[in-house]
Amino acid sequence: MLDKSVPYKNIIMRTEKDGFEGREQPELPACFSFRLFRPGDEKQWARLEWSVDEFPSQKQALDYFCGQYLPKSFLLAQRCWFVWDERKNQAAATATAWFDKIGKDGRTASLHWVSVDPAYQGKGLGKAVTVRALQTLAEKEQGKYIYLHTQTWSHKAVVLYLSLGFRFVKEGGFAQYPNDYPAYLPILKGKMRTVDWESLNRGLTQEDQ
């Protein structure tokens, strides 16, 4: 769930692709499996994103997906991952291996819309589906880096991204998102455990800290 009790600030992060090329596929708990997008899964995506407060309603989430991604359904079938609950026949988590334009790099690999249904959180599904999407980006996109956009409302996800090797981009943003570095640093510090803040600091200069 998003933590909307803190001010909203945009965060741009990146990691090198080399860490995911050839990496073993993450394991999932029993009765869960990885599944790529199939026709009709747009409703599953909309339900997931609504469940974590990314959209006010499932309809708005569905409208967004249909406008932004569904016209490229042939790419979704290669890049939009779900963790599937085989018992309930529904999506438990999702992440999309996409692309964006950022700074002078032009088109670059970009991780989109990592979400886990609150009913399934705490099972490691978010990390698993994120790694699977990052593996896909390492395979399909050219360039040295994988980027992502997140926000202070997702400060718990920032901890996950740090653990996977992502670090903050200090200058430049996506075409559709600004970069609010370093304004978000005190907000993150106020919400993170000491051990997580220390991990974050390894990617910062003394002046930033």
Side-chain angles (χ1 to χ4, degrees), residues 2-198:
L2 299 182
D3 179 5
K4 296 185 179 181
S5 70
V6 301
Y8 181 98
K9 297 293 180 182
N10 293 285
I11 301 171
I12 309 297
M13 305 179 76
R14 75 180 184 191
T15 191
E16 295 194 18
K17 291 171 57 178
D18 291 349
F20 298 95
E21 291 176 339
R23 186 166 176 169
E24 290 186 11
Q25 181 168 300
E27 294 185 4
L28 292 171
C31 301
F32 291 90
S33 62
F34 290 110
R35 172 171 140 174
L36 281 164
F37 179 88
R38 301 176 186 176
D41 284 349
E42 59 270 20
K43 294 180 180 179
Q44 294 283 336
W45 187 94
R47 178 183 58 79
L48 283 174
E49 299 302 335
W50 167 76
S51 76
V52 296
D53 291 337
E54 288 284 4
F55 293 89
S57 69
Q58 292 190 53
K59 182 182 185 302
Q60 285 176 277
L62 182 61
D63 288 346
Y64 176 89
F65 187 91
C66 290
Q68 295 293 319
Y69 295 105
L70 205 56
K72 299 182 178 68
S73 58
F74 66 99
L75 291 178
L76 290 172
Q78 304 169 19
R79 294 169 174 264
C80 182
W81 284 99
F82 295 96
V83 173
W84 205 260
D85 182 343
E86 303 289 353
R87 295 166 299 185
K88 295 185 177 181
N89 192 30
Q90 66 178 18
T94 187
T96 300
W98 213 244
F99 43 85
D100 278 294
K101 290 184 178 180
I102 186 167
K104 298 179 181 178
D105 295 335
R107 171 167 161 158
T108 189
S110 183
L111 179 68
H112 283 201
W113 295 103
V114 178
S115 296
V116 182
D117 186 318
Y120 294 95
Q121 291 177 8
K123 300 179 182 293
L125 304 184
K127 182 175 183 178
V129 76
T130 299
V131 171
R132 193 66 194 90
L134 293 172
Q135 290 173 322
T136 300
L137 285 171
E139 295 165 2
K140 294 186 177 297
E141 288 293 316
Q142 300 297 314
K144 184 177 180 181
Y145 296 110
I146 297 172
Y147 287 81
L148 65 82
H149 164 266
T150 187
Q151 63 278 325
T152 45
W153 289 355
S154 297
H155 52 81
K156 291 183 179 179
V158 171
V159 176
L160 168 62
Y161 301 141
L162 288 167
S163 74
L164 293 173
F166 280 89
R167 292 295 180 263
F168 298 125
V169 175
K170 299 181 179 181
E171 296 181 358
F174 289 93
Q176 67 273 40
Y177 298 113
N179 185 350
D180 292 326
Y181 182 89
Y184 55 73
L185 292 178
I187 299 170
L188 294 179
K189 185 175 183 179
K191 301 300 293 188
M192 285 184 175
R193 299 178 303 164
T194 300
V195 64
D196 295 326
W197 180 250
E198 290 174 350

